[in-house]
Amino acid sequence: MAPSHVLRCCQRVLAWIPVAFITMVVCWSYYAYVVELCVFTIPNIGEQIIYLTVFHFSFFMFVWSYWKTIFTRPSSPTKEFSLSKVDKEQYERAERPETQQEILKRAARELPIYTRTGSGGIRYCDRCQVIKPDRCHHCSACDMCVLKMDHHCPWVNNCVGFSNYKFFILFLAYALVYCLFIATTVLQYFIKFWTLCRRKSSEHCPKNELPDTHAKFHVLFLFFVAAMFFISILSLFSYHLWLVGKNRSTIEAFRAPVFSNGPDKNGFSLGFRKNVTQVFGDQGRLWLLPFFTSLGDGYTFPTRLVTADPEQATAVLHTSANPGCDDVIHTFSESQNQLLNNHSNENHLEPNGVKTGGHESVTVSLEKEL
């Protein structure tokens, strides 16, 4: 049997096959559109210039966002979330799960952690040997814990999480624009070539304005490929837009995060506008550019307890691990305070700044007793 490191290397090489496939398709589409369609097929110079200008813009934005999604390394927990040498030895020697949880609770006492396992325990990764921050999960493909992990995407050979989720959304958006532009501009020539191909079997075939060259095969396949990719990407893009609006990851959509009061699928939702701001940032001019502008640090997130859908229900910020408090307080980072203070009237929330232990906190109470 081959050594484990050899198998691991083989897996890493094979993991690039989907990326290589997408790269080859994109390179072929560039050649087919620019050379075979615009140069050899379209007779009008003005039409060529317009098509080539829009095409190269969409092509550049698509490749840029795709490249950023692939090569942006996922963020992982810092040493702050690792057990000390003494706690690690005690944890490994402990035979009972209850004893291990006591060690983890003692180590996590000073950490900003508010989510729990399904049984109410501290979330700990035995593989990475770190206490998992909120919304952090272990990726078996990357063999690491990823902050705000969404999913591992084989088409980018990377884990989509806090560091590159915006890039992934833009990659899907510009892929849709790229495919839609190709399909719509190629359609008329697709029809002409398709009609020409069907009429060639007839002896009295009327002359067509397009020459019967090998370019027709590139144009025909270009339309089919662009339409196929557009339909498949559209559903995925729509789903992730819905996730952004709800401030959920793909993992949280299937398994609700567990807080001290129990599972809550809307626990991280702050309202549509603030949810979008968390992913794309508070500078609107940078939303469509693949620059990192997401708010927060990836370790702590503003949360709230909700009793129903956040767009309709009365809500309270979930900010403490104490389930016996009606009004609870949580210390946020500067970027999170900015997020919560913006649009203070949204969803009937009225945050007020409170000084707690030298940090700015935000408290929100129920507007209506249930």
Side-chain angles (χ1 to χ4, degrees):
M1 182 176 179
S4 58
H5 67 277
V6 176
L7 294 176
R8 186 66 180 173
C9 291
C10 293
Q11 291 177 352
R12 291 178 178 177
V13 172
L14 294 175
W16 285 101
I17 292 180
V19 177
F21 172 75
I22 294 297
T23 303
M24 289 188 295
V25 171
V26 172
C27 291
W28 166 79
S29 68
Y30 183 91
Y31 167 79
Y33 192 91
V34 174
V35 178
E36 299 293 344
L37 178 67
C38 292
V39 176
F40 292 154
T41 303
I42 300 178
N44 189 291
I45 301 298
E47 188 178 359
Q48 288 181 353
I49 295 176
I50 295 175
Y51 282 7
L52 288 175
T53 301
V54 180
F55 172 82
H56 279 93
F57 173 77
S58 60
F59 177 81
F60 174 76
M61 296 303 298
F62 164 68
V63 172
W64 186 11
S65 57
Y66 187 48
W67 182 84
K68 293 283 287 186
T69 307
I70 295 174
F71 294 105
T72 300
R73 180 174 175 80
S75 301
S76 58
T78 60
K79 295 182 179 180
E80 178 187 4
F81 293 86
S82 301
L83 295 177
S84 64
K85 185 177 180 180
V86 176
D87 289 338
K88 187 180 297 184
E89 292 177 353
Q90 293 178 353
Y91 181 85
E92 293 174 352
R93 289 199 305 263
E95 298 180 356
R96 300 176 56 192
E98 294 81 3
T99 306
Q100 292 179 330
Q101 275 298 312
E102 290 298 327
I103 298 173
L104 295 178
K105 288 180 181 179
R106 183 174 66 250
R109 189 174 303 166
E110 302 298 328
L111 297 177
I113 297 176
Y114 301 96
T115 56
R116 298 291 185 264
T117 64
S119 59
I122 300 296
R123 301 190 315 125
Y124 181 76
C125 179
D126 293 307
R127 179 73 176 178
C128 300
Q129 296 184 335
V130 295
I131 297 175
K132 296 180 181 179
D134 293 345
R135 315 184 81 174
C136 175
H137 299 274
H138 183 84
C139 177
S140 58
C142 297
D143 195 24
M144 62 183 295
C145 284
V146 178
L147 297 182
K148 195 185 177 183
M149 178 179 173
D150 187 89
H151 70 288
H152 183 88
C153 181
W155 298 108
V156 299
N157 191 28
N158 199 3
C159 206
V160 178
F162 176 76
S163 62
N164 62 350
Y165 188 59
K166 177 190 173 183
F167 305 149
F168 178 75
I169 297 295
L170 292 180
F171 153 62
L172 296 179
Y174 287 120
L176 280 176
V177 173
Y178 182 71
C179 294
L180 180 62
F181 176 77
I182 290 178
T184 53
T185 54
V186 169
L187 179 59
Q188 59 173 319
Y189 300 98
F190 168 83
I191 296 175
K192 292 178 180 179
F193 275 130
W194 184 259
T195 304
L196 177 64
C197 291
R198 297 185 64 180
R199 291 179 180 177
K200 290 299 290 182
S201 59
S202 176
E203 296 180 359
H204 304 286
C205 178
K207 292 184 178 181
N208 195 291
E209 64 181 40
L210 296 178
D212 186 15
T213 63
H214 67 281
K216 67 181 181 183
F217 297 105
H218 288 280
V219 173
L220 292 176
F221 281 108
L222 188 62
F223 176 81
F224 279 122
V225 172
M228 178 186 67
F229 273 92
F230 175 81
I231 295 174
S232 60
I233 295 175
L234 179 61
S235 58
L236 181 62
F237 179 67
S238 302
Y239 176 67
H240 278 280
L241 283 185
W242 179 81
L243 290 178
V244 171
K246 295 291 185 178
N247 200 1
R248 300 176 195 168
S249 65
T250 300
I251 295 177
E252 293 165 353
F254 287 93
R255 184 174 65 249
V258 180
F259 298 90
S260 58
N261 63 306
D264 191 349
K265 65 179 181 180
N266 293 318
F268 293 105
S269 182
L270 306 172
F272 178 78
R273 183 178 299 178
K274 294 177 184 177
N275 293 341
V276 173
T277 304
Q278 276 220 302
V279 175
F280 290 94
D282 51 9
Q283 298 180 352
R285 66 181 183 275
L286 299 178
W287 281 12
L288 299 180
L289 298 177
F291 297 124
F292 181 81
T293 56
S294 300
L295 298 183
D297 54 11
Y299 299 96
T300 57
F301 302 90
T303 60
R304 68 179 185 178
L305 292 174
V306 295
T307 56
D309 190 85
E311 281 75 19
Q312 299 176 356
T314 305
V316 58
L317 280 174
H318 173 80
T319 52
S320 172
N322 185 358
C325 297
D326 293 328
D327 296 329
V328 286
I329 299 176
H330 173 47
T331 302
F332 297 113
S333 64
E334 181 178 355
S335 59
Q336 293 166 334
N337 279 321
Q338 182 180 5
L339 174 66
L340 289 172
N341 289 330
N342 290 338
H343 319 297
S344 60
N345 293 328
E346 185 175 345
N347 291 326
H348 308 290
L349 293 178
E350 299 178 358
N352 299 308
V354 179
K355 292 291 183 178
T356 305
H359 298 280
E360 185 178 358
S361 303
V362 178
T363 61
V364 178
S365 60
L366 289 170
E367 293 182 316
K368 182 179 180 181
E369 295 293 331
L370 299 179

